Amino acid sequence: MAEAVRSALESDGPSETVGEPDQDMMTSDTVPTDPSAANRTEIPPIISVDDHIVEPPHLWKTWLPARYRDRGPRVERRRLGEMTWVGGAKMYEYELDAPDAPWCDVWFYEDLVHPNKRHVAAVGFDRDEMTMAPITYDEMRPGCYEPKARVADMTANHVEASLSFPTLPRFCGQTFYEASDRDLGLACVKAYNDFMVEEWCGDSDGALIPLIIVPLWDADLAADEVRRNAERGCHAVCFSEIAPNLGLPSIHTGYWDPFFAACQETQTTVNMHIGSSSKMPAASPDAPPAVAATLSFNNAIASMSDFLFSGVLVRFPELKLAYSEGQIGWIPYILERADDVWLEHRAWGGVSDLIPEPPSTYYYRQIFGCFFRDNHGLRSLDEVGVDNITFETDYPHTDTTWPHTKQVAEDMMGHLPADVVWKIVRGNAARMLSLEIEACPGT
């Protein structure tokens, strides 16, 4: 596979091959274990609802129709100066083709320049090496971009199945929405989805679960793409947590109803990843990146509040939503506050005729929270809802629990009953993604 990757690159410099990291250099987690806990609940094989793919260089060269290939996304190996976090939609600043700078595999598409970054392909590196440094495919762990290698890394990590979000298209496909050529953009969306279903997932025997993107600029085309992929077994789609941040209509307008109708009709879950509105929460404009990383779940709070009061979940009572990487500890208070507002502010809140039941009703019926580390949320299971949460590994990002996910899960959930653990790490994900698995043990 490494040779195939190198041959797919358009390079103006030499390839710098770095060997696969030693086991000692793999990601390590610092969640403490309790040696006295002798009777912990065994963690069943995990279904991870949030991982990521670093798209291989050949993707659009292979899957785009021939007439578009010379204008589709391509990778070039270029030198890249030091990257600086600036936040906002721009995210980073850097100097392309800086003399004597490290080599980087960089995506180009129309006016977009998108360098691959080590902290996005972080697996295999020590925590202190997961920096905003440029990276080539030769330096990445192959599981970042190659499906068979991904499955091998999952198997070693006690993960049976995985749902992966895109990188170059960004978390809901907004890269192609922001481009100028709509025909090319639609072709790129379809090419990504064909790759996702047929190449990334096709030979994995169900280990890799397809997750598609849609043309965000047209709700009817988006609905068509949902139906096209549902016909070949895909039941998960990316969407923006806060569409107006992208310059799109809000969920309150009714504009997205054809898309939501298609998702409900095909049992396709709407997956909204943190950052899918291209606007990460921040405090001060000069705050370090750690502030944005700490506040990353804030958009999920705003988005869920939006949906609970939008009427969407009333009009589409079988529509399923998932807040990917949003964590769960904040959910109890938002539900409490939403119910209080619905009751106490009904005279002027604008939703007395729109929302017939307490907003929390729709959460428990239709929404899933997703987490990788959230001890506080697990202590609040009665309010969060044992049937409403799912587990994730976030491979290959900096937050990933790979290759120690089973131990991390044991440390967080080993005290819980076996049927509860099964739901959290397996059963709820299967229900959310329309997967056929075994019944909960003991039922």
Side-chain angles (χ1 to χ4, degrees), residues 165-177:
F165 284 81
T167 298
L168 176 70
R170 312 219 299 282
F171 293 151
C172 66
Q174 58 263 57
T175 290
F176 302 118
Y177 159 68

Side-chain angles (χ1 to χ4, degrees), residues 108-144:
F108 293 86
Y109 174 63
E110 291 194 348
D111 295 332
L112 174 69
V113 180
H114 179 95
N116 281 316
K117 299 167 282 292
R118 187 187 292 179
H119 69 295
V120 173
V123 287
F125 291 97
D126 182 78
R127 284 285 173 199
D128 292 329
E129 295 178 329
M130 295 179 182
T131 61
M132 287 189 293
I135 193 171
T136 68
Y137 284 92
D138 300 323
E139 297 168 300
M140 294 180 199
R141 191 169 180 84
C144 294

Side-chain angles (χ1 to χ4, degrees), residues 46-60:
I46 293 163
I47 299 175
S48 174
V49 300
D50 171 35
D51 296 304
H52 300 266
I53 175 176
V54 179
E55 292 80 17
H58 72 267
L59 193 158
W60 283 277

Side-chain angles (χ1 to χ4, degrees), residues 43-356:
I43 304 297
I46 293 163
I47 299 175
S48 174
V49 300
D50 171 35
D51 296 304
H52 300 266
I53 175 176
V54 179
E55 292 80 17
H58 72 267
L59 193 158
W60 283 277
K61 288 184 176 182
T62 299
W63 290 94
L64 271 174
R67 67 184 182 276
Y68 292 117
R69 286 176 191 163
D70 62 336
R71 293 185 289 135
R74 70 189 189 282
V75 173
E76 297 178 11
R77 184 157 293 177
R78 307 280 284 270
R79 291 194 183 274
L80 196 79
E82 182 178 356
M83 279 188 275
T84 303
W85 170 268
V86 295
K90 190 174 182 181
M91 301 292 283
Y92 311 95
E93 286 182 346
Y94 49 82
E95 181 184 356
L96 190 64
D97 298 324
D100 301 320
W103 292 106
C104 183
D105 286 338
V106 183
W107 283 97
F108 293 86
Y109 174 63
E110 291 194 348
D111 295 332
L112 174 69
V113 180
H114 179 95
N116 281 316
K117 299 167 282 292
R118 187 187 292 179
H119 69 295
V120 173
V123 287
F125 291 97
D126 182 78
R127 284 285 173 199
D128 292 329
E129 295 178 329
M130 295 179 182
T131 61
M132 287 189 293
I135 193 171
T136 68
Y137 284 92
D138 300 323
E139 297 168 300
M140 294 180 199
R141 191 169 180 84
C144 294
Y145 57 83
E146 203 281 319
K148 287 185 171 58
R150 173 63 66 90
V151 173
D153 278 356
M154 290 163 51
T155 301
N157 195 35
H158 199 61
V159 175
E160 180 181 293
S162 164
L163 186 79
S164 286
F165 284 81
T167 298
L168 176 70
R170 312 219 299 282
F171 293 151
C172 66
Q174 58 263 57
T175 290
F176 302 118
Y177 159 68
E178 293 167 354
S180 60
D181 189 326
R182 288 284 185 252
D183 290 338
L184 175 60
L186 180 58
C188 287
V189 166
K190 290 184 174 182
Y192 178 87
N193 292 340
D194 291 344
F195 159 82
M196 169 59 61
V197 174
E198 298 181 33
E199 182 178 334
W200 181 253
C201 301
D203 294 329
S204 71
D205 195 27
L208 299 174
I209 305 164
L211 173 62
I212 63 164
I213 57 177
V214 293
L216 293 167
W217 57 91
D218 189 313
D220 290 314
L221 286 178
D224 291 344
E225 192 63 6
V226 166
R227 292 187 177 97
R228 181 177 82 93
N229 287 282
E231 288 177 357
R232 49 185 179 173
C234 178
H235 297 284
V237 62
C238 301
F239 190 61
S240 176
E241 58 200 356
I242 307 173
N245 283 353
L246 301 178
L248 291 163
S250 83
I251 60 171
H252 301 279
T253 62
Y255 174 84
W256 296 105
D257 281 9
F259 169 69
F260 293 139
C263 291
Q264 175 173 265
E265 167 195 320
T266 59
Q267 295 184 307
T268 297
T269 298
V270 176
N271 297 266
M272 293 171 284
H273 197 284
I274 57 167
S276 57
S277 59
S278 297
K279 185 177 180 181
M280 293 296 285
S284 306
D286 56 348
V291 175
T294 301
L295 297 174
S296 60
F297 64 92
N298 277 17
N299 283 351
I301 296 176
S303 177
M304 185 185 292
S305 302
D306 226 14
F307 269 98
L308 290 177
F309 285 113
S310 68
V312 169
L313 301 179
V314 179
R315 295 194 302 276
F316 302 102
E318 296 179 11
L319 180 68
K320 292 180 288 186
L321 310 179
Y323 283 97
S324 309
E325 206 172 317
Q327 311 309 319
I328 59 175
W330 52 271
I331 291 175
Y333 178 69
I334 284 298
L335 296 180
E336 178 183 343
R337 177 60 180 164
D339 283 355
D340 280 349
V341 167
W342 176 82
L343 180 65
E344 305 295 345
H345 298 236
R346 60 185 180 274
W348 65 273
V351 295
S352 58
D353 297 327
L354 187 64
I355 310 299

